[in-house]
Amino acid sequence: MALPRVLSVIGAGQMGIGIALVASLRAKIPIILLYDRDPSQITKGLEFMDKLLAKDVSKGKTSEEDAKAAREKIISITSSSASSSTLNNDEFGWARELGERGSDMVVEAASERLSIKEGIFRALAKNLSKDAVLASNTSSISITKLAGAAVEGLGSSISKASEEGKSCAGRVVGVHFFNPVPVMKLCEVIPGLQTTEKTLERAKAFAVACGKEVSKSKDVPGFVSNALLMPFLNEAIMCLESGTATRDDIDKTLRLGMGHPMGPLQLADFIGLDTCLAIQETLYEGTHDSKYRPSVLLGRMVDAGWLGKKSGKGFYEY
């Protein structure tokens, strides 16, 4: 299965930067376009990538020549038309540029919010080649919904049940990488109801080329990974909230008693408490099952801006 010649990555946070890095360094994709609506985030993300590459070189995992070549293949894309106020409009200069530059696969790694991702997929479907794979790195949001949004990007005259609508939706797929992307060995691939077998195989081939093992999940809230992980983290937060045990004792119990590399509260900090809350809300809204109800404490911490490691404070201080 042929790999993309021009890969676009939407979002220059930790996940987007990690995906761009493994695509360049491991999969050897010739051209990688990196877009974020915040230019400063691209600068910050690329600085982080440079540190990762330098660390690999210092440890002998990568040669200086390979690191330099990987970095040079990544091209930054910016556009003032992608402000949050125009997110749901179809005037996306960045999407047009990705199309004009010949993107034949896109991996969206934006914030874990349905409205944001739907806006992106509408723009991508309208502006990219009809053969381009439209992939999302979502960890919980329905691929079927994103595929439906992609069809909406073609205009109101195109029915989702028409041949053109089905063809457009058929190229949408989930490729859920794990954080940190260069280290974690798995990529969870998720087909929506409309995803074609060809799209699924192209997504799998890309993940394998990036050096990942592949698992496949049905398009259900949270897929396999977060349908299991997030309730576990949420329950640990509820234990803290109810006073069942202290932060340190909760994490110690799972580290030393269950052999986990880190405790659930520390892991939640590393994931990002805002991300944990968004996924937990998706699980709850998608199933209406009370076992997925987010912890009140988790919501309060996000309200306070205590988002974990990335903000400097969560259950721990950094």
Side-chain angles (χ1 to χ4, degrees), residues 128-147:
L128 268 65
S129 162
K130 293 183 179 180
D131 295 325
V133 172
L134 308 181
S136 176
N137 183 58
T138 180
S139 54
S140 61
I141 291 171
S142 168
I143 302 303
T144 300
K145 284 185 178 180
L146 296 181

Side-chain angles (χ1 to χ4, degrees), residues 3-7 23-24 26-32 73 206:
L3 295 175
R5 187 186 68 84
V6 181
L7 173 73
S24 182
R26 306 301 175 202
K28 309 295 184 185
I29 305 301
I31 300 172
I32 297 170
K73 289 187 291 183
F206 171 69

Side-chain angles (χ1 to χ4, degrees), residues 266-318:
Q266 185 182 18
L267 178 56
D269 272 357
F270 274 63
I271 293 170
L273 301 189
D274 53 339
T275 299
C276 291
L277 179 60
I279 296 170
Q280 199 67 31
E281 288 174 340
T282 297
L283 289 169
Y284 187 48
E285 292 166 7
T287 63
H288 301 291
D289 190 327
S290 61
K291 71 180 180 182
Y292 294 126
R293 179 183 61 80
S295 160
V296 173
L297 176 59
L298 176 60
R300 292 290 181 268
M301 292 181 73
V302 172
D303 289 342
W306 299 353
L307 308 182
K309 189 173 186 292
K310 62 185 174 184
S311 70
K313 180 174 178 57
F315 293 107
Y316 294 82
E317 294 189 4
Y318 301 89

